[in-house]
Amino acid sequence: MEQLDSIINTDSKTSSDDCTDEWEDEWEKVTPELSMPAYPPVQFVLFPRKGGWSSFPYPEIAALFAAQQGTIYYVSSRTAEEEELPTAIQVITLQEAEARLQEPNTAAVVAHPYWLIAVASLHPQVCIALLPEPVGDESSSPLWENSISRLVGIADLVGTSSETRYMKLLFQGSRAVWLGGEDSSPAGYIHHHGARVPLRDYELFFMHALQEVLAGKPDHITTLQSRMRADYYRQLRTKTGPHETISFLLSAYEYLLEDSRATTSLKESFIQAVINGRQDCVVSHYRFLSSIYARSGQIEEALQVFGISASNEQERHHYEQLCRWLEAGETSLVQAELLRINDDYGTALRILDELGGETARHWKFRIYQETECVESALALIHAIDIQDETSLRQYRQLSGTALALRGERHGAVRLFLETALENEDALSRIIELELLDHAVQQLLGEVP
């Protein structure tokens, strides 16, 4: 949801007393399981960010790994003393990490996106991404977002302290936990080495999500945390009255939960945006109503909203095309496309999976391209799709990216060079590989 970048503001606070019984019953079912992992001890291999242990973005989450009766390794070319590591964490080299990740019951924990190729090429059994906030000029670098997107594409569990990113992950269909919250009081406890350790609510969420991943169980935490966040914003909205940001965030969580109140909350947010003089509110707020309608099966209403919000010639042409498809009876395709337009990739993919057929395959390919799920996109390409120079070039670039992630560097560079003969932009992919190589050296502490 692109509009979240400019709408979201989570500075407002409320206490945990505002939480209702809507999600507490499920919470009570979750917490007793936390002290008894039902799997062998796990080795966690931490791929950190630059700056030693003091710069590790989530030390409290790393502490939870110790509670899994496992061993924690920290990948660095420096000593434990130089990294100022706790005694319970052991330093290993990148080469040693490669050997560890070939062993059973071992998980890679990636705390910086520039580890992307170094980690992906090791094919970890379990990959956990702890996305950090950008430092310095990282946020302005295309490499930053591209690396995060591809890292999310290979991760089994993603943690982030950004609620904006968290919601985008939920819309993408990722298994994610928001590592933040307004209440610092203990929400539960875990027993470790005979001690009763207090945990905040997001730590409990992450702990249980981690256990689900390690045990190969379905995701139950995403819905539970979404219910808690919806309840938080609902209570906050009761205190503040109609509010552009609060009402919008409430509608987004209600939408994810398939709560019929999402329509009312979204319309309230849009009205407040109009009152506040927001010039882009038809696109940033009102358009989301098309996704709410589409997900609930009100396709004609959804399409009408999209038509009203079409802000340029390209979007108006797209609207007319969708109208023709709807008249032709392609209801599911129109529904999936309206969801994709609103960045609800997860639901769009489920609809396309159920639909099947060649058109659905092509649209799924486009979604995987947009979300940087490289292997999933590549698996959908058939020989019949490569009919001209443009499609061949795109296939080579995608294949080159896949080879790079698999650790087949020479093959990736060869494909990028072949593509660069017709399109010099492909050279940027080779430069990207070199930038990531240098970034890994920095992350290891080998160069400044």
Side-chain angles (χ1 to χ4, degrees), residues 421-432:
L421 293 175
E422 289 122 16
N423 185 352
E424 292 184 359
D425 290 342
L427 293 175
S428 65
R429 300 299 181 96
I430 299 176
I431 296 172
E432 186 176 274

Side-chain angles (χ1 to χ4, degrees), residues 123-326:
H123 311 291
Q125 181 183 10
V126 174
C127 180
I128 301 164
L130 298 178
L131 302 180
E133 293 302 298
V135 174
D137 60 357
E138 288 178 337
S139 61
S140 61
S141 170
L143 184 63
W144 177 261
E145 283 299 325
N146 288 343
S147 298
I148 285 180
S149 295
R150 291 168 193 164
L151 178 60
V152 168
I154 66 170
D156 300 287
L157 174 63
V158 183
T160 175
S161 60
S162 164
E163 191 167 19
T164 303
R165 175 130 3 230
Y166 168 67
M167 294 194 74
K168 288 181 178 180
L169 290 167
L170 297 189
F171 273 73
Q172 188 172 327
S174 301
R175 189 191 295 236
V177 176
W178 179 50
L179 303 177
E182 295 72 28
D183 187 9
S184 60
S185 62
Y189 298 83
I190 186 169
H191 296 278
H192 181 55
H193 291 325
R196 192 165 180 255
V197 182
L199 300 178
R200 292 183 59 178
D201 53 14
Y202 71 81
E203 293 172 316
L204 283 172
F205 282 130
F206 185 85
M207 186 72 148
H208 195 73
L210 175 63
Q211 290 186 358
E212 287 180 343
V213 168
L214 295 175
K217 293 181 179 180
D219 175 20
H220 295 103
I221 294 303
T222 295
T223 298
L224 187 54
Q225 191 173 34
S226 293
R227 286 182 182 174
M228 190 184 79
R229 295 311 295 162
D231 187 71
Y232 166 74
Y233 286 113
R234 190 172 294 117
Q235 295 295 332
L236 197 59
R237 186 254 171 250
T238 299
K239 291 180 178 180
T240 63
H243 188 281
E244 177 187 340
T245 302
I246 294 170
S247 299
F248 185 89
L249 291 171
L250 175 58
S251 74
Y253 281 113
E254 289 172 336
Y255 170 83
L256 289 165
L257 296 166
E258 299 186 62
D259 188 322
S260 61
R261 291 173 287 184
T263 302
T264 301
S265 299
L266 190 279
K267 288 179 178 178
E268 181 178 271
S269 173
F270 173 64
I271 291 171
Q272 293 302 308
V274 172
I275 293 173
N276 293 335
R278 183 153 182 154
Q279 297 298 313
D280 64 343
C281 60
V282 172
V283 174
S284 65
H285 291 64
Y286 181 74
R287 177 175 290 181
F288 183 44
L289 191 60
S290 66
S291 196
I292 295 174
Y293 284 147
R295 190 165 184 176
S296 65
Q298 299 171 268
I299 309 304
E300 291 185 6
E301 293 86 346
L303 190 53
Q304 183 180 27
V305 169
F306 176 63
I308 294 172
S309 69
S311 59
N312 55 50
E313 187 62 33
Q314 182 179 357
E315 289 185 347
R316 286 188 287 273
H317 174 74
H318 196 24
Y319 164 70
E320 293 170 359
Q321 186 180 44
L322 290 176
C323 288
R324 289 192 293 271
W325 286 343
L326 187 61

Side-chain angles (χ1 to χ4, degrees), residues 112-132:
H112 196 285
Y114 291 169
W115 285 108
L116 171 67
I117 291 179
V119 172
S121 63
L122 300 179
H123 311 291
Q125 181 183 10
V126 174
C127 180
I128 301 164
L130 298 178
L131 302 180

